[in-house]
Amino acid sequence: MATVDDVRRQFRNPPPEGRPMMRWWWFGPSIERDEIDRELAVMAAAGLGGAEVAFVYPMGPVTAPFGSAEFLELVGHAARTARSLGLRFDVTLGSGWSYGGPHIGPELAARRLHWDRREIGAAAYDVPIVSAWPGDEFVAAYVGDGNAPSSYVEVPVSDGAVHVPAGGQPREVLIATSRVTGQQVKRTAVGAEGHTLDHYSEAAALEHIRCVAEPLLKAAMPVGSVFCDSLEVYGGNWTPAIFSEFLERRGYDLRPRLYELLVDTPGARELRIDFGRTLSELYEDNFLKVFQRWAAGHGVPFRIQSYGEPPATMSSYRHADIFEGEGWAWKGIPETRWASSAASIYGRSVVSAEVWTWVHSPSFRATPLDLQGEAHEHFLSGVNQLIGHGWPYSPTDGPGLGWVFYASGALDDRNPWWPTATALFRSLHRLSWTLQQGTPVRPVKVYIPSSDAYVAGGPEPLNLYRVARRLIPAAIPRTIRAAGLDFDLIDDDAITVLDPAEIALVVVPEGATTPAATARWLESVGTVVADPTDHLPAPPFPPVPDVGVVHHRLDDGDLYFVANTSPEPRTLTLRTPMERWDPRTGEITTTQTTTLDPYESAILAPTHQPHEPAGPSPQPHEPAGPSPQPLEPAVPSSNHLVGTVLGPWTVAFDNDIRPVELPHRWEDDPARTTYSGSATYRTKFELEDTATVILDLGPGEPVAPDSEPYLPGNSYRALITPPVGVAADIYLNDIHCGSVWAPPYQVDLTAAARPGTNDLRIVVHNTAANALSADQHLLDAAAESTATYGHRFDLQHVEHATEYLNSGLLAVPRILRQA
């Protein structure tokens, strides 16, 4: 384990581990070598750590169908190019999601149990067994007395018919049939269409490995990891071997009681719990373990988002190598918490997240501040490796903006704010790497009522994560986090690796069913409560509203990640002086009272004297490509500064230079409504001396959470209108002094200042959403793809591209000097 000194020494320029990565969508596939090389070089130059390649639906003419020799050669070329640039290259083991394709016939496809329920009279009936759809398989038939029987007996079957004997009046017959769900792989590339595979079947997993995973991995080796996206096998609750598997695992025969999955009986609840557990175990044994063993045989980690359907438990993760989540909401239980809890319990130091999935929809609306704010939410949920969602491969010579993924930000160099991306990714890299050090300290454990989740029903009854989250009152995680503390989820498998003597507090939702082994374990825990409010230990810092805390323990001390998740400043008063490590600058200062600006974060550590100087240092771990911009120095506290308003100003859009009055919003000019790009604001000012010269662009203005009502609840955006829309690079006397994209919107100009006249340039970059609103080519490409290949996607929210946009210099900058 590292020491605090080790981490401090490397904080400014950490090793490559922890750099943000990008999911790289290959549409079609329609891919060319030169564009592969160009996009990878741009990723490397921006400070990204690599790409996770994913193969999805077409946006243009297909040049290399999925699985073809041309396709595999291009995958290999991309992998080799990435490695030559120092980038990690990961491969998704299939196209779209979930795994499946043309190699999956009805015998290996996902299945569900279908019931035909019929009331009959006293006469005997012979009912022919007929397959309504290809792949249908008769399972069993039952008859019960009365019009609402409480018990049934199995009906004999022979010669292709169900033989219902004569009996009382009335009666009810139940016929169970195993049916292929029919679910096709979602968002698939051309050549990869077909059934979703049966995740309870080892034969199905091995067939997918043989036909898809093995050729892909051989083409790309060596890779950073092989990947499986979230489990979205809807309604798949059956597999042909279920009767024998149930008997072996549960110790009794399911067949005579199968009807209890449908009919309420005194013992039905326990049987349904056992049935759910069996499905979870079959998923683990016949899917997770199969892919992990195969990957391990090639020396490659298997990374997975193990939640959804089939009913993966939190502890199912333990059968993979790298645990991944998605979703933000640090005071709740997003999928990231499901993954990070498993990583904490089962000893994985790295836990990744699919981040920015729905960020500030539609594509190109996302700002660097949005990306920073959502990343902080993931860090607060225990994540320490970001996989950006994502980077759409798009030909540079195409019309309009090019290609975008249907449901996420387009996070590539088509964004006008891309010049600030290097600084943004560098700051996130510092945080990710730091949070990979040591072990998380989470003093509270929250029990997942898995037994109750197996039988709770409701929407998505097979999605154990979502049902369990519904059964855990939202007040439980909210109370813990608001108190400045953190927590792990635990389940009935996790307790086998946790020493109850080391667990001080477990929160068990009121009324939760606990198996006998879990109940015995809980008896040995310090405190077990349903409501944690009056039982929480003391937090490391006095809690502050909207400020999340993540605590990591190192060999010789502690580190704390703190983040302000609100659009208002928040101040922490520490019990003793501590070091504050700034992820944007790498600077280290000592403080006992520290203010976090909106959406700002920091690392807090024990004081260390003397610590290394905070000035610029070599960049031994910077990515390939152009040299990074200089790190901006720390900005002194504005409490000791006075301001002078600057002006007059000019603005230049390319060669069009004119005087301008600030604030200046581009969308107020009809000629600039659809303009996406940069503009240069310029002024001059006089200085008598150069001691402490700070450019202050203003604080920004909070906005209401519902101010963009079309956005879905999972679409993250920072609730602030910034003073610069949306990012800027600052130059004084032609010297680059820093980039701004987030509060505090201040840059130290001191090093570039000179007595006399100083020339200030502020180069403002907006988003590509303005241009998106006028891009008919994108809509035409989507329509043509649908007409040619079928309806595989819908572009998300593009009709809202121009709403609530604010581009330009939206405040009057000031120069701050010592009071």
Side-chain angles (χ1 to χ4, degrees):
M1 190 186 296
T3 66
V4 175
D5 278 347
D6 293 334
V7 180
R8 179 188 294 107
R9 186 168 53 252
Q10 298 183 83
F11 176 72
R12 177 187 282 274
N13 301 301
E17 294 80 16
R19 284 182 183 150
M21 293 180 58
M22 283 288 179
R23 180 171 296 178
W24 191 17
W25 290 294
W26 284 16
F27 298 101
S30 307
I31 308 295
E32 295 180 354
R33 281 171 171 258
D34 289 348
E35 184 60 26
I36 286 173
D37 295 349
R38 190 200 72 81
E39 294 187 18
L40 287 170
V42 173
M43 292 183 201
L48 292 169
E52 168 207 291
V53 65
F55 316 103
V56 293
Y57 54 83
M59 287 291 289
V62 173
T63 58
F66 185 84
S68 66
E70 297 85 353
F71 164 78
L72 293 173
E73 195 282 328
L74 288 167
V75 171
H77 173 77
R80 291 188 295 274
T81 303
R83 289 193 294 273
S84 72
L85 293 167
L87 297 174
R88 172 175 148 186
F89 190 80
D90 287 15
V91 176
T92 305
L93 296 178
S95 172
W97 60 94
S98 293
Y99 288 175
H103 53 289
I104 299 299
E107 72 284 359
L108 298 177
R111 290 182 167 271
R112 62 185 173 87
L113 191 62
H114 172 79
W115 290 97
D116 182 14
R117 193 170 193 168
R118 189 72 60 90
E119 187 172 303
I120 63 172
Y125 288 85
D126 287 340
V127 183
I129 298 173
V130 179
S131 294
W133 287 87
D136 280 10
E137 296 179 356
F138 172 82
V139 174
Y142 305 86
V143 65
D145 291 333
N147 55 15
S150 59
S151 65
Y152 295 74
V153 295
E154 190 171 357
V155 175
V157 176
S158 63
D159 301 322
V162 176
H163 303 292
V164 183
Q169 167 77 24
R171 295 180 297 162
E172 188 171 68
V173 171
L174 304 176
I175 298 178
T177 304
S178 165
R179 288 186 170 177
V180 174
T181 66
Q183 181 181 343
Q184 304 293 294
V185 179
K186 297 167 65 174
R187 320 299 181 205
T188 182
V190 171
E193 302 90 343
H195 289 297
T196 299
L197 65 81
D198 178 357
H199 283 55
Y200 309 120
S201 164
E202 182 179 18
L206 291 173
E207 182 68 2
H208 189 77
I209 287 171
R210 183 182 72 85
C211 295
V212 177
E214 190 79 27
L216 266 173
L217 184 57
K218 284 183 177 179
M221 279 290 285
V223 301
S225 75
V226 290
F227 175 63
C228 178
D229 208 335
S230 55
L231 306 170
E232 300 180 32
V233 188
Y234 303 123
N237 66 349
W238 193 257
T239 192
I242 190 72
F243 284 137
S244 59
E245 292 284 1
F246 188 95
L247 178 61
E248 180 179 348
R249 295 165 187 272
R250 306 277 83 88
Y252 65 95
D253 194 355
L254 172 65
R255 187 181 192 96
R257 297 181 58 188
L258 183 68
Y259 65 88
E260 294 182 63
L261 296 178
L262 182 70
V263 178
D264 290 333
T265 70
R269 189 175 192 278
E270 288 70 25
L271 180 134
R272 293 169 190 174
I273 292 171
D274 283 348
F275 186 77
R277 286 180 176 147
T278 301
L279 293 180
S280 297
E281 292 171 7
L282 289 173
Y283 156 70
E284 292 174 2
D285 290 344
N286 295 335
F287 182 84
L288 270 179
K289 291 181 182 179
V290 172
F291 276 93
Q292 194 281 331
R293 282 196 304 268
W294 166 78
H298 291 279
V300 174
F302 179 51
R303 175 166 57 91
I304 189 171
Q305 297 176 359
S306 185
Y307 43 82
E309 304 179 40
T313 71
M314 186 271 290
S315 283
S316 294
Y317 267 115
R318 70 193 185 277
H319 301 298
D321 299 304
I322 302 176
F323 307 169
E324 181 161 303
E326 64 181 299
W328 54 277
W330 68 279
K331 293 181 183 177
I333 305 178
E335 292 93 333
T336 44
R337 179 61 65 178
W338 196 256
S340 67
S341 295
S344 173
I345 291 164
Y346 292 102
R348 303 304 199 276
S349 61
V350 175
V351 55
S352 58
E354 174 190 303
V355 64
W356 308 318
T357 305
W358 293 84
V359 63
H360 210 159
S361 178
S363 286
F364 295 116
R365 279 297 302 278
T367 71
L369 177 58
D370 294 325
L371 304 186
Q372 174 178 292
E374 187 182 330
H376 289 168
E377 294 261 352
H378 284 75
F379 293 145
L380 288 173
S381 295
V383 165
N384 54 26
Q385 175 66 66
L386 304 176
I387 314 288
H389 190 285
W391 187 294
Y393 173 100
S394 183
T396 53
D397 58 355
L401 282 171
W403 299 342
V404 301
F405 193 64
Y406 80 100
S408 75
L411 308 176
D412 57 27
D413 60 331
R414 290 173 290 172
N415 290 279
W417 50 258
W418 196 252
T420 65
T422 302
L424 168 65
F425 295 146
R426 186 188 299 121
S427 69
L428 298 179
H429 175 205
R430 289 188 181 112
L431 294 172
S432 291
W433 178 82
T434 302
L435 291 170
Q436 290 178 8
Q437 313 310 308
T439 56
V441 177
R442 299 173 184 159
V444 184
K445 309 301 178 188
V446 177
Y447 176 71
I448 299 169
S450 298
S451 295
D452 302 300
Y454 283 127
V455 296
E460 299 182 276
L462 290 176
N463 191 322
L464 194 67
Y465 157 71
R466 290 193 179 174
V467 178
R469 184 178 66 178
R470 193 174 74 234
L471 296 177
I472 299 173
I476 291 175
R478 186 173 60 242
T479 298
I480 297 167
R481 299 318 302 271
L485 298 168
D486 208 347
F487 69 95
D488 274 327
L489 299 168
I490 61 171
D491 62 14
D492 299 314
D493 289 315
I495 66 169
T496 64
V497 298
L498 293 174
D499 182 353
E502 296 179 358
I503 308 298
L505 177 62
V506 178
V507 183
V508 178
E510 188 171 1
T513 301
T514 54
T518 300
R520 290 192 297 272
W521 183 87
L522 289 170
E523 289 174 357
S524 302
V525 167
T527 303
V528 178
V529 297
D531 180 354
T533 304
D534 297 325
H535 303 273
L536 294 172
F541 317 117
V544 176
D546 303 313
V547 174
V549 179
V550 170
H551 180 187
H552 275 225
R553 180 152 294 142
L554 278 68
D555 271 351
D556 61 345
D558 300 280
L559 293 178
Y560 302 91
F561 168 73
V562 292
N564 179 6
T565 63
S566 82
E568 304 278 2
R570 295 287 186 260
T571 298
L572 286 75
T573 301
L574 311 176
R575 295 186 174 94
T576 60
M578 299 189 75
E579 291 179 351
R580 171 175 167 154
W581 303 359
D582 188 335
R584 288 176 61 177
T585 66
E587 304 297 333
I588 297 176
T589 56
T590 300
T591 182
Q592 191 163 351
T593 300
T594 188
T595 295
L596 294 172
D597 282 285
Y599 304 105
E600 189 180 19
S601 69
I603 299 292
L604 299 179
T607 54
H608 172 78
Q609 296 294 337
H611 62 67
E612 295 178 351
S617 58
Q619 309 285 316
H621 299 291
E622 286 303 324
S627 297
Q629 299 163 348
L631 293 170
E632 55 268 34
V635 175
S637 169
S638 58
N639 294 333
H640 307 293
L641 303 173
V642 294
T644 301
V645 174
L646 296 174
W649 292 86
T650 61
V651 64
F653 290 90
D654 296 322
N655 295 322
D656 179 13
I657 304 173
R658 63 184 67 180
V660 67
E661 294 290 330
L662 301 183
H664 180 226
R665 180 176 178 268
W666 301 353
E667 288 81 11
D668 293 335
D669 180 352
R672 301 290 177 191
T673 301
T674 60
Y675 175 75
S676 291
S678 301
T680 299
Y681 294 84
R682 196 162 198 157
T683 192
K684 297 182 185 294
F685 61 92
E686 300 292 324
L687 289 174
E688 293 183 1
D689 63 75
T690 60
T692 311
V693 184
I694 308 297
L695 176 69
D696 177 29
L697 299 179
E701 294 294 331
V703 297
D706 59 354
S707 59
E708 296 186 30
Y710 75 88
L711 285 175
N714 61 349
S715 183
Y716 182 90
R717 67 177 176 117
L719 298 175
I720 192 170
T721 300
V724 57
V726 297
D729 283 287
I730 312 300
Y731 298 83
L732 186 66
N733 302 320
D734 293 324
I735 298 172
H736 185 265
C737 297
S739 302
V740 291
W741 69 85
Y745 293 97
Q746 295 180 338
V747 174
D748 193 334
L749 307 179
T750 306
R754 62 193 180 201
T757 302
N758 288 260
D759 180 35
L760 176 65
R761 282 188 292 131
I762 302 177
V763 183
V764 174
H765 322 287
N766 72 340
T767 73
N770 302 64
L772 175 67
S773 67
D775 188 3
Q776 185 62 37
H777 300 99
L778 177 61
L779 301 179
D780 291 343
E784 185 175 346
S785 173
T786 297
T788 305
Y789 301 107
H791 196 157
R792 304 190 188 204
F793 66 98
D794 289 301
L795 292 175
Q796 163 194 295
H797 300 144
V798 290
E799 68 276 14
H800 298 288
T802 58
E803 297 178 19
Y804 314 103
L805 296 179
N806 291 285
S807 307
L809 195 48
L810 308 175
V812 183
R814 301 182 302 160
I815 288 293
L816 304 180
R817 305 296 308 280
Q818 287 286 357

